[in-house]
Amino acid sequence: MAGLEVEEISPAAPAFSGVMVAEVKSVEKHPDADRLNITRVDAGTGELLQIVCGAPNVRAGMKVPCALAGAVLPGDFKIKPTKMRGQASNGMLCSAKELGLPETGADGLLELPADAPVGAKLRDYLDLDDTVFTLKITPNRADCLSIKGLAREVAALAQCAFAAPDIPAVPAANAAAVPVRIDVPADCGTVLSAVRFAA
């Protein structure tokens, strides 16, 4: 009745478990496979894990998602210790696609920020245990096309206090001005001499 139709409710990420934030400590070429590397990874377990990885972007020092032995990835894909071309692999370094997350465009592993805490559960670090609401907003409710506008409307409907989200202003990246010519000023409520825009 409020005109804010919830069209779909979905999880922020598919179900997976046993995936931690890890740091790649070293990378060396696999002796028997051109496209594979042997990595040693700190996943917060107290010891470095040897994991064979074929991702083209793997390098020492990067933070990545690491599926430990016993982890279950989307599609009920279970991770267990194995050997790849004779080398032990005790887990799996993951790409966004393997975790069912939106792909960033980079080829290979999902690279996490440098300050990502080693040993943290990836679901907790990325706030993946959340719900996405898809709303069907009608053209006459442009005031609800933003998080702030929607929060204000829900507060009014629920008759509760409105806690405005803190949304910092984004400064203009370009100070250029575009001249505007008004041919019929009598028909314009406000006359503008220039319109500023952000590049």
Side-chain angles (χ1 to χ4, degrees), residues 163-176:
D166 183 23
I167 304 173
V170 179
N174 191 324

Side-chain angles (χ1 to χ4, degrees), residues 44-138:
T45 61
E47 61 180 350
L48 294 183
L49 304 175
Q50 178 172 297
I51 298 177
V52 178
C53 176
N57 66 332
V58 67
R59 67 181 187 282
M62 72 186 305
K63 301 280 185 72
V64 294
C66 177
L68 304 177
V72 180
L73 301 186
D76 200 33
F77 182 67
K78 297 179 174 69
I79 304 298
K80 51 189 175 182
T82 186
K83 282 195 172 183
M84 298 182 71
R85 297 287 186 93
Q87 297 292 327
S89 186
N90 299 301
M92 175 179 165
L93 304 183
C94 303
S95 67
K97 183 178 181 180
E98 289 161 338
L99 298 173
L101 302 177
E103 297 185 52
T104 59
D107 188 22
L109 302 176
L110 172 61
E111 185 165 359
L112 301 173
D115 61 355
V118 170
K121 293 181 179 179
L122 187 74
R123 297 194 73 89
D124 294 342
Y125 175 66
L126 295 180
D127 290 327
L128 298 179
D129 292 321
D130 203 348
T131 302
V132 176
F133 293 85
T134 302
L135 301 179
K136 186 175 182 181
I137 306 296
T138 53

Side-chain angles (χ1 to χ4, degrees), residues 149-196:
L150 192 61
R152 183 186 294 111
E153 182 69 10
V154 171
L157 291 170
Q159 297 181 356
C160 63
F162 168 56
D166 183 23
I167 304 173
V170 179
N174 191 324
V178 177
V180 176
R181 186 183 77 236
I182 299 177
D183 293 329
V184 189
D187 292 341
C188 298
T190 302
V191 177
L192 300 177
S193 61
V195 176
R196 295 199 174 276

